[in-house]
Amino acid sequence: MGCCCSCLGIGEDSSSSTRETELSSKQQKVNSSTLAIARHMSAPGIRIRGATVSGEGLALAGVTIEQDAAYWEWHITKPGDTPPDEDNDDDDYDEEIHAVKFGVSTKKDKAFYRALKSAADSGTDESTPMEDGTALMRPIPQLRDGDTIGIAVQHSDLPMVQFLLNGEPLHEIAINRFRGAVYPSIYLPGGNGDGQGGVSENTKGGGGGVVEGDISATVVFDENDFRELSPHSRFGPLIAARGII
């Protein structure tokens, strides 16, 4: 005498397995979409190609940092890189002013960037780091091709942002105490390459690629692709707990 699949519970198990697979697939899509640079939260002068950014301005990833301790990296590409002139003190000063900034930032939108542009166009642009979105970021000058910038953020105990250059901690620029929701961010100054940086004609909608001579940075959230170790085992890879809609 035969027995139907429903009597044996085969149909229910199959249906449950299908639902779990669908939920897992949806979660992976959420993670891949939020753990990336957010076009709508980045400056118009930023060029985005996958996880790589170049151009000019502020760029934010599309997920807040909600876990107690998180770590991610920026991998630097600098075409035509040449060693800095160690005997020229003026180069150090110039590099500090025009250095790429790393860290975190509060949420930004198109209105924020329109206000910055309006101030610049009117000749009254004397923005402080708090006003231009880089208050929780720090410049790291004299970047070289192949450098790795590690960012470690902790919320528990004393909220802090730590910076590492090729695995070595930069204690002197660590940020102590911050409040509110923050997002992984990077700031690329204009003309950051060999005189060929700045805003491209092909930046609308995040189009275009890396312009020859530009410094570009690739954000890495997957621990399998990390080049260096985090400062402590409690710093895990960033988790997309809540994305931006």
Side-chain angles (χ1 to χ4, degrees):
M1 182 176 178
C3 180
C4 67
C5 292
S6 60
C7 295
L8 296 174
I10 297 177
E12 293 180 2
D13 291 343
S14 177
S15 177
S16 175
S17 177
T18 300
R19 285 196 298 270
E20 290 178 0
T21 301
E22 290 176 349
L23 288 173
S24 176
S25 178
K26 288 180 180 179
Q27 183 62 42
Q28 290 176 358
K29 289 180 179 179
V30 169
N31 287 342
S32 63
S33 63
T34 55
L35 286 177
I37 302 300
R39 175 71 267 172
H40 65 286
M41 288 174 49
S42 300
I46 287 292
R47 294 183 292 272
I48 303 172
R49 174 176 288 180
T52 300
V53 296
S54 62
E56 177 181 359
L58 185 64
L60 279 69
V63 64
T64 55
I65 304 163
E66 298 186 351
Q67 64 209 79
D68 286 340
Y71 174 82
W72 65 92
E73 293 181 348
W74 292 93
H75 296 172
I76 304 301
T77 300
K78 190 175 182 182
D81 190 19
T82 56
D85 185 354
E86 297 180 358
D87 297 328
N88 193 337
D89 293 335
D90 291 338
D91 285 348
D92 294 339
Y93 176 75
D94 185 66
E95 283 283 351
E96 184 71 26
I97 293 177
H98 300 289
V100 180
K101 296 181 181 181
F102 303 87
V104 296
S105 182
T106 55
K107 185 178 180 180
K108 298 295 179 280
D109 55 22
K110 292 181 180 179
F112 169 80
Y113 295 110
R114 283 197 298 267
L116 280 184
K117 184 177 186 303
S118 178
D121 291 345
S122 64
T124 61
D125 184 17
E126 298 180 358
S127 300
T128 65
M130 183 65 71
E131 294 167 340
D132 68 11
T134 64
L136 298 177
M137 305 176 71
R138 292 293 181 265
I140 300 182
Q142 298 184 350
L143 292 175
R144 303 294 305 277
D145 184 49
D147 279 348
T148 297
I149 306 300
I151 309 294
V153 176
Q154 68 180 42
H155 283 289
S156 58
D157 300 326
L158 177 66
M160 177 183 292
V161 183
Q162 301 178 57
F163 304 86
L164 301 93
L165 173 59
N166 298 325
E168 295 297 324
L170 304 174
H171 296 297
E172 67 278 8
I173 63 172
I175 297 173
N176 296 320
R177 292 189 173 86
F178 64 90
R179 300 193 312 177
V182 292
Y183 304 77
S185 59
I186 186 171
Y187 178 83
L188 298 172
N192 56 63
D194 297 330
Q196 301 179 42
V199 181
S200 166
E201 294 291 335
N202 196 20
T203 58
K204 186 176 181 181
V210 177
V211 173
E212 182 181 356
D214 260 352
I215 290 180
S216 63
T218 300
V219 63
V220 178
F221 294 118
D222 187 340
E223 63 181 327
N224 293 321
D225 296 325
F226 289 164
R227 293 175 179 169
E228 307 290 347
L229 296 175
S230 66
H232 192 277
S233 59
R234 71 175 181 273
F235 289 93
L238 185 63
I239 299 172
R242 175 167 58 89
I244 300 304
I245 299 176

